[in-house]
Amino acid sequence: MSLQTHLSELERKHEALEREIQDAISHPSTDDLRIVELKRRKLHLKDEINRLRTGSTRVVH
């Protein structure tokens, strides 16, 4: 898989998580921990996308 293809897939997953977060927020019965987990996953994807775009091999936890 090329780097550009991988980046596109990560961006697609990031956008899907954003939609899932917005959907969860709009439903009052959604558990707050679920929303926090979705946001954590979205941030992890964003960090991975940025790392690949900058060519950095440093892993941030």
Side-chain angles (χ1 to χ4, degrees), residues 14-55:
H14 185 268
E15 291 168 5
L17 276 171
E18 176 59 29
R19 288 189 300 274
E20 192 173 349
I21 289 167
Q22 292 306 317
D23 186 52
I25 289 171
S26 69
H27 291 89
S29 63
T30 304
D31 183 20
D32 288 342
L33 292 177
R34 169 91 172 122
I35 294 171
V36 168
E37 174 61 20
L38 291 170
K39 287 182 176 183
R40 186 194 64 77
R41 288 173 43 204
K42 182 181 165 204
L43 181 59
H44 178 74
L45 282 173
K46 181 180 176 184
D47 289 345
E48 179 69 8
I49 291 167
N50 288 334
R51 183 185 68 79
L52 290 172
R53 281 189 178 148
T54 62

